[in-house]
Amino acid sequence: MYTIEQLEDAIITKLAPLKVGYTPVGESDPAIWRTVRTIKSYQGELDDEESIVRATRLFPAILIMYFGSEYEEHGARKIEKPMFVLFVCDKSLRSEEEARRGGSENPGTYAVLNGMRDLLYDSRLSKDIFPMSLLRERPAWFGKGVSIYSAEYETAQALLYMGD
């Protein structure tokens, strides 16, 4: 059984090709790769407009947050379905549209969402974990040259409870 922290760390590792400074080994190299400055666990950076303004120094960024789990019972076996919300954040001094679509100085949230989808969708964080499913993507916050989207992903793992 994997802990929430282990799953979150595995997502961060899986997204590493998007991070500035990553060196691919024998992989194709799409233009979006190596353009994200920050990939890390969410720590309240988007709680309010003031926090978002402070957090723009981290952008372009992907911030990951555990969103809870659902459980299915199958006798002593349980299936845990942990969900994660990934916030994709970018900024542009020119316009909010460029924060979404990208420009000469930034990739844009649309491109990062696409790159993230290429790396996560239907991939396994471990051989013992079900492939990642993309549940939804939606806008989270816009304004003042900032674009933030959320993407919800789910995986699953089998658990065995023997009882008392």
Side-chain angles (χ1 to χ4, degrees):
M1 178 175 137
Y2 292 89
T3 65
I4 295 164
E5 293 86 358
Q6 289 170 322
L7 294 173
E8 195 173 84
D9 288 345
I11 292 170
I12 291 168
T13 300
K14 197 71 139 165
L15 294 175
L18 296 175
K19 192 163 184 186
V20 171
Y22 175 81
T23 305
V25 178
E27 299 176 15
S28 61
D29 192 14
I32 183 58
W33 286 20
R34 299 190 318 269
T35 59
V36 176
R37 179 178 293 161
T38 308
I39 301 174
K40 69 181 201 74
S41 181
Y42 178 75
Q43 297 174 358
E45 294 89 346
L46 311 176
D47 283 351
D48 54 43
E49 190 170 341
E50 186 178 312
S51 300
I52 292 170
V53 169
R54 281 193 309 272
T56 58
R57 65 183 165 69
L58 303 172
F59 294 177
I62 300 171
L63 306 173
I64 301 149
M65 180 176 70
Y66 172 65
F67 200 56
S69 292
E70 293 182 3
Y71 294 85
E72 293 178 9
E73 303 224 7
H74 301 277
R77 287 184 66 105
K78 313 291 183 235
I79 303 294
E80 177 192 15
K81 294 182 175 181
M83 291 173 276
F84 293 86
V85 175
L86 288 74
F87 294 102
V88 174
C89 314
D90 203 359
K91 67 176 178 183
S92 169
L93 297 176
R94 293 190 181 127
S95 70
E96 181 263 315
E97 179 182 14
E98 189 171 289
R100 284 181 288 118
R101 294 175 169 248
S104 60
E105 301 295 319
N106 65 308
T109 51
Y110 292 166
V112 176
L113 282 168
N114 288 336
M116 193 169 69
R117 198 178 309 119
D118 289 346
L119 293 169
L120 285 182
Y121 182 72
D122 208 26
S123 70
R124 291 181 178 267
L125 300 177
S126 163
K127 64 182 173 96
D128 303 325
I129 300 284
F130 288 57
M132 296 289 286
S133 297
L134 176 59
L135 302 176
R136 69 186 55 82
E137 295 173 334
R138 62 175 113 194
W141 196 86
F142 295 99
K144 300 181 182 175
V146 173
S147 171
I148 301 172
Y149 274 83
S150 68
E152 297 174 24
Y153 283 86
E154 177 183 79
T155 187
Q157 64 180 336
L159 310 172
L160 183 61
Y161 290 106
M162 300 308 288
D164 291 10

